[in-house]
Amino acid sequence: MAKAMKIAIVDDEQDMRQSISQWLALSGFDTESFATAEDALKRIGPDYPGVVVSDVRMPGMDGIAFLKRLMSQDSAMPVIIITGHGDVPMAVEAMQLGAFDFLEKPFNPDKMTELAKRATQKRRLALDARALRRDLSGGTQIMDKLIGASPAMERLREDILDLGQADGHVLIDGETGTGKTLAAHALHAVGSRASKPFVLLQCGAYPDEVAGRELFEGEPDAGVLPLVEQARGGTLCLEDIEALSPAVQARLLTFINDQGTPAETRIVAVSNLQEQGKTCEDMLRPDLFYRLAAMRITLPPLRQRGEDILQLFTRFTEQFAEEYGCDAPQVGAQEAAQLLQAPWPGNVRQLINVAERAVLQSRRGSGTIASLLMAESETVEPVMTTEGKPLKEYVEAFERMLIDNTMRRHKGSIVAVMDELCLPRRTLNEKMAKYGLQRSDYL
């Protein structure tokens, strides 16, 4: 049975608080009361399991300011505003700010009960959906590999969670090395087809006639089913889909159309043409392209991901250091700035290569990260880098990386980190809060 939703009653008049609380309690609600908005905010957080009923005129923080605070920390929080006679303009303002509804004194208790029922139902649905998204985003090893706290990566994970619950076909594009195939695996893993097959065909790895045979014919004599049958009910991922000939594209379109809606087998098409001045739309027949691109995910290039670069570099150097049995190289402020400013035309794949070579040269006691970046720039085609950033952003990115690395090395020991970085506890706590670092993540 679902846990009962709470109703927080906020009113500076004790008689009003008691009256509302008693009525709602008789209607089966679990209530708690607060004399001030300030007291209520100490209890009501972003995931508060209930709704709020608040008077609009209160000493200190009034109902409008209280509503703004609640909306800023959780825009899905239903708030019912109680207004006095003549406060209709304030009620209108409250509705514009996101209030669920308002009641004018003296109000009908039955109307209060009806509003409370609708508000708690809405809140329960919102919290259930939020919990599901958290389970999905944290419940698979594949999603955990989509590392990064940049806005671009936050949007990518949100897109994967959203589209993972849909049934339509998906087109994933982006520059080489950005992790498009990983995103395709994640899309499958967080959806309703997770327990069904995920079948991958690298279309560009086969001559055209072989790709068509693999997809639609298989090897009957050897008992090998075609890939469209192997993927039945699950996901068929077509990497480098632009490599398919017009004839094979036509057969694929027929297969998609024959499935109907919703599709039994989902097609996830992966395209690598973006950086070559072409698009998938240029290479696919229009009717197939529009069937696949109804839902679309574009992977962000590494140069647009800010301090994710430092986080990824640290993660990969630690992994390679463990593999090679040596210490990970320490990154100084100048090297951190060089990593952040590099154009990274090969994206994450290039960063992995640089991280491995940094570990190897560190083990030998020679070389610098700068020399590795210069060597990389000579072997790949240049791309336009992003515009320069203020010094403050580079300093903050380095500071976050330094605290993160030190916390990892000392397994969350605050005292050891304070000693090594020569920081008082309060300063360290403030900086960890600023950068979203939590001690529990390092224990």
Side-chain angles (χ1 to χ4, degrees), residues 115-172:
L115 278 180
K117 286 180 179 178
R118 290 198 287 115
T120 52
Q121 288 172 356
K122 179 182 178 182
R123 183 59 171 169
R124 178 174 285 111
L125 289 173
L127 292 178
D128 287 348
R130 189 176 295 172
L132 174 61
R133 294 176 72 83
R134 286 174 179 166
D135 289 343
L136 290 173
S137 62
T140 69
Q141 292 181 344
I142 293 176
M143 283 294 284
D144 291 341
K145 293 179 181 179
L146 294 171
I147 302 167
S150 63
M153 288 304 292
E154 292 286 357
R155 285 193 298 273
L156 174 62
R157 286 189 289 265
E158 287 293 315
D159 287 345
I160 289 173
L161 290 172
D162 285 339
L163 300 189
Q165 299 304 299
D167 287 315
H169 308 300
V170 181
L171 173 65
I172 300 177

Side-chain angles (χ1 to χ4, degrees), residues 322-335:
E322 183 177 353
E323 179 180 336
Y324 290 113
C326 62
D327 293 331
Q330 297 301 306
V331 179
Q334 183 176 355
E335 291 175 317

Side-chain angles (χ1 to χ4, degrees), residues 63-317:
I64 297 298
F66 180 41
L67 174 63
K68 290 179 179 178
R69 284 285 299 275
L70 290 173
M71 292 296 98
S72 68
Q73 71 179 19
D74 187 347
S75 60
M77 172 75 72
V79 180
I80 300 170
I81 294 292
I82 298 176
T83 67
H85 181 68
D87 286 338
V88 173
M90 296 183 73
V92 172
E93 181 183 0
M95 296 297 289
Q96 292 173 340
L97 290 171
F100 180 78
D101 210 329
F102 72 94
L103 286 170
E104 187 176 358
K105 298 177 183 177
F107 54 82
N108 184 331
D110 291 330
K111 179 70 180 299
M112 167 69 78
T113 301
E114 178 61 28
L115 278 180
K117 286 180 179 178
R118 290 198 287 115
T120 52
Q121 288 172 356
K122 179 182 178 182
R123 183 59 171 169
R124 178 174 285 111
L125 289 173
L127 292 178
D128 287 348
R130 189 176 295 172
L132 174 61
R133 294 176 72 83
R134 286 174 179 166
D135 289 343
L136 290 173
S137 62
T140 69
Q141 292 181 344
I142 293 176
M143 283 294 284
D144 291 341
K145 293 179 181 179
L146 294 171
I147 302 167
S150 63
M153 288 304 292
E154 292 286 357
R155 285 193 298 273
L156 174 62
R157 286 189 289 265
E158 287 293 315
D159 287 345
I160 289 173
L161 290 172
D162 285 339
L163 300 189
Q165 299 304 299
D167 287 315
H169 308 300
V170 181
L171 173 65
I172 300 177
D173 61 8
E175 295 180 10
T176 186
T178 49
K180 296 183 290 297
T181 303
L182 175 62
H185 279 279
L187 192 67
H188 174 79
V190 302
S192 60
R193 305 171 191 267
S195 61
K196 301 296 178 65
F198 178 92
V199 177
L200 173 69
L201 174 66
Q202 294 179 319
C203 302
Y206 298 93
D208 183 61
E209 65 277 6
V210 177
R213 187 167 62 245
E214 290 281 326
L215 273 173
F216 301 108
E217 299 168 21
E219 298 181 35
D221 295 340
V224 178
L225 293 173
L227 296 184
V228 292
E229 288 298 325
Q230 293 181 36
R232 183 177 293 277
T235 300
L236 175 60
C237 180
L238 301 177
E239 195 173 81
D240 299 326
I241 189 172
E242 63 275 357
L244 295 179
S245 71
V248 178
Q249 290 182 33
R251 295 186 68 179
L252 179 61
L253 179 63
T254 300
F255 170 74
I256 291 173
N257 289 336
D258 288 347
Q259 287 195 96
T261 304
E264 181 181 12
T265 302
R266 182 180 223 181
I267 307 296
V268 176
V270 177
S271 172
N272 289 302
L273 281 170
Q274 194 179 67
E275 68 275 14
Q276 299 175 19
K278 299 179 181 178
T279 66
C280 190
E281 186 174 2
D282 297 327
M283 300 297 290
L284 295 183
R285 52 185 292 161
D287 42 6
L288 176 60
F289 172 79
Y290 288 114
R291 290 302 301 271
L292 295 173
M295 299 182 184
R296 192 167 185 172
I297 295 175
T298 299
L299 274 290
L302 185 59
R303 61 185 175 277
Q304 294 179 5
R305 291 176 54 183
E307 66 180 79
D308 284 358
I309 296 169
L310 299 181
Q311 183 181 357
L312 286 165
F313 187 78
T314 299
R315 176 72 64 91
F316 293 136
T317 52

